[in-house]
Amino acid sequence: MLHYETPTAAEAAQLMEQYRVGSSFFFSSPRKTLLTHGEYSRLSVPSGNDHRSLSERVTELLDRAKQSGRPNAVVVGAIPFDILKPASLFIPLSVQWHDSLLFSTGQAPERPRISSYHVLSVPEPAAFQEGVNRLLELISQKKLHKAVLSRTLDITLPHALSIPHILNHLAYHHSHGYTFAVPLAPELSHTSSPDAVASTRTLFGASPELLIMKKGQRIKGNPLAGSAARSADPVEDQRRAAALLSSAKDRNEHAIVIDAVALALQPYCSKLEVPAEPSLIQTNAMWHLSTEINGILKDDSVTSLDLALAMHPTPAICGTPTDAARDAIQAIEPFDRGFYSGAVGWSDANGDGEWAVTIRCAETEGTLLRVFAGAGIVPGSNAEAELAETSAKFRTILAAMGLNEQQTTILGEE
């Protein structure tokens, strides 16, 4: 297990009062909380003759900061699903490190109440199911083993969201996960509108999935694959959990991911521990099959970003074979994923860091909001069931927005 030396715990509500939309980066894990302010330097978009890897360019960014008197600089931000597209990574002006967040005992944070809005499902549910069936046909032809298909809800709100309030709610209800907010440069936004306010472009969410964490020579990853929606009925909820754990389809989907992650990490490690059987983890909305992988690096100069990029995109958010799955996704999905199903986190000058998979997330700009959700398609998948899985995954963000049961049903959640 990995441990951090951290200075203090932080009262969540007080920390969120310091958050500034458009200039603050926020990342909270079960072990550590990071809040930054301002921007010292940003990773530029590479020119046509710049063939260095993303990790090499980030190392150079940190080296320049060190030479300018910032030896403890940290790079924060987000990596897109398509690694050939620009990342949103920068060195902040100031950084606050804290332990895990503290919340007022017995009192959940208030959440906004949205009374009017317009929602567009992209694609429409029937078109998403058609996409699932197209993937199943490719799988039956042995052109794919797995592919992850996603959809979005594009929501127009009566007013801009209060990101601090939503982050407070997400962190409270997902304390075992990774709550984040990333300010995006204007050209990196995927909800751009002539009426939008440039300084409010923000990627935010609460991911349950750790891509990689590194401290010295020790690393940890926690891939998730295979999911089932939670139930408000405790008996039914436990039945669903047990069914997921024993499901041949879901265990096969999970094994594909674990094998790929272990294969990507093995060359870097002198020791890699991969449990033979998955376990269950839960969020408020979902059950997931989970495997915690721990390792010891051969060389501690390998950075957390090196490892993240070695695995990305995992079959948990793309598919396998990777290139064939990516091509199929881009042919079927009628939108650009942007940073959804990428990675969000931080890496310091020592190469230590923590990166979560960018799922259970949304992008907001002014009064526009795009919410993302996806489902893994493998042999045995059913189009109707996969649609229902994406609907359940939307609930993480929709609940943080304060949508009640009736409104959630209007958005296609039931």
Side-chain angles (χ1 to χ4, degrees):
M1 300 299 293
L2 302 180
H3 300 282
Y4 289 103
E5 295 296 331
T6 51
T8 61
E11 192 70 39
Q14 295 177 5
L15 194 63
M16 286 296 91
E17 288 177 0
Q18 302 175 51
Y19 177 90
R20 297 293 177 266
V21 175
S23 63
S24 293
F25 169 87
F26 177 79
F27 186 86
S28 178
S29 78
R31 293 155 295 278
K32 199 162 190 172
T33 301
L34 171 61
L35 177 66
T36 79
H37 301 287
E39 185 177 304
Y40 173 74
S41 59
R42 178 173 283 272
L43 188 71
S44 60
V45 177
S47 60
N49 60 359
D50 188 348
H51 301 296
R52 294 170 301 165
S53 69
L54 176 60
S55 185
E56 288 173 327
R57 293 192 294 118
V58 167
T59 296
E60 183 184 20
L61 190 69
L62 286 165
D63 286 344
R64 288 202 303 266
K66 183 177 181 179
Q67 293 166 10
S68 300
R70 290 176 173 264
N72 298 318
V74 58
V75 165
V76 302
I79 299 166
F81 168 68
D82 184 350
I83 202 62
L84 297 179
K85 295 186 176 180
S88 182
L89 298 170
F90 64 96
I91 296 176
L93 280 172
S94 64
V95 176
Q96 295 182 45
W97 295 104
H98 297 280
D99 204 339
S100 53
L101 296 176
L102 300 176
F103 294 90
S104 299
T105 304
Q107 184 175 1
E110 292 185 5
R111 55 186 179 179
R113 293 292 175 183
I114 299 173
S115 58
S116 63
Y117 56 88
H118 177 267
V119 62
L120 176 66
S121 181
V122 182
E124 291 292 340
F128 176 83
Q129 291 178 294
E130 290 174 6
V132 171
N133 288 329
R134 287 174 62 185
L135 289 175
L136 287 171
E137 179 63 24
L138 292 173
I139 290 171
S140 71
Q141 296 170 3
K142 308 300 183 183
K143 296 179 180 179
L144 291 173
H145 300 300
K146 174 186 176 178
V148 178
L149 194 64
S150 61
R151 66 188 184 104
T152 73
L153 297 178
D154 286 356
I155 304 173
T156 303
L157 304 168
H159 50 73
L161 292 172
S162 171
I163 298 297
H165 289 162
I166 289 177
L167 290 178
N168 204 18
H169 181 277
L170 288 172
Y172 177 86
H173 289 284
H174 303 275
S175 60
H176 297 294
Y178 305 84
T179 302
F180 57 88
V182 184
L184 299 179
E187 68 272 15
L188 299 176
S189 172
H190 293 82
T191 59
S192 185
S193 161
D195 300 323
V197 180
S199 64
T200 67
R201 290 173 176 141
T202 305
L203 171 75
F204 70 95
S207 174
E209 185 169 359
L210 173 67
L211 182 60
I212 196 71
M213 177 170 57
K214 173 187 179 285
K215 177 67 173 178
Q217 287 185 278
R218 294 185 176 275
I219 66 168
K220 174 183 171 183
N222 190 190
L224 308 180
S227 305
R230 301 288 306 276
S231 172
D233 181 332
V235 175
E236 172 61 16
D237 193 47
Q238 289 302 311
R239 188 200 67 78
R240 293 182 184 184
L244 175 63
L245 192 57
S246 62
S247 165
K249 165 192 167 291
D250 289 289
R251 289 176 72 97
N252 173 57
E253 179 182 349
H254 190 78
I256 289 172
V257 174
I258 300 309
D259 290 347
V261 168
L263 185 65
L265 291 177
Q266 189 66 66
Y268 297 93
C269 295
S270 60
K271 181 179 180 181
L272 192 66
E273 298 176 352
V274 184
E277 295 288 327
S279 58
L280 285 172
I281 69 166
Q282 65 192 64
T283 69
N284 284 6
M286 304 295 296
W287 286 104
H288 296 286
L289 292 181
S290 163
T291 296
E292 184 178 298
I293 297 174
N294 288 277
I296 298 177
L297 294 173
K298 298 174 184 176
D299 179 0
D300 64 4
S301 69
V302 173
T303 71
S304 63
L305 188 57
D306 289 331
L307 297 169
L309 294 173
M311 291 186 285
H312 179 69
T314 74
I317 48 85
C318 181
T320 187
T322 303
D323 290 343
R326 185 191 293 111
D327 290 345
I329 289 166
Q330 293 176 340
I332 295 173
E333 290 180 354
F335 58 89
D336 183 353
R337 285 192 180 187
F339 294 96
Y340 165 68
S341 64
V344 57
W346 60 272
S347 186
D348 66 18
N350 297 320
D352 293 344
E354 196 166 20
W355 296 89
V357 182
T358 317
I359 52 177
R360 310 299 184 274
C361 66
E363 189 177 313
T364 186
E365 180 184 7
T367 59
L368 303 180
L369 178 75
R370 170 168 280 188
V371 188
F372 300 88
I377 313 305
V378 294
S381 291
N382 171 275
E384 185 176 353
E386 303 303 333
L387 176 67
E389 180 175 321
T390 60
S391 293
K393 289 175 177 176
F394 280 136
R395 291 184 182 132
T396 296
I397 296 298
L398 297 178
M401 292 166 55
L403 292 172
N404 62 35
E405 183 177 355
Q406 180 180 4
Q407 290 169 317
T408 303
T409 302
I410 293 173
L411 288 175
E413 292 302 288
E414 299 293 337

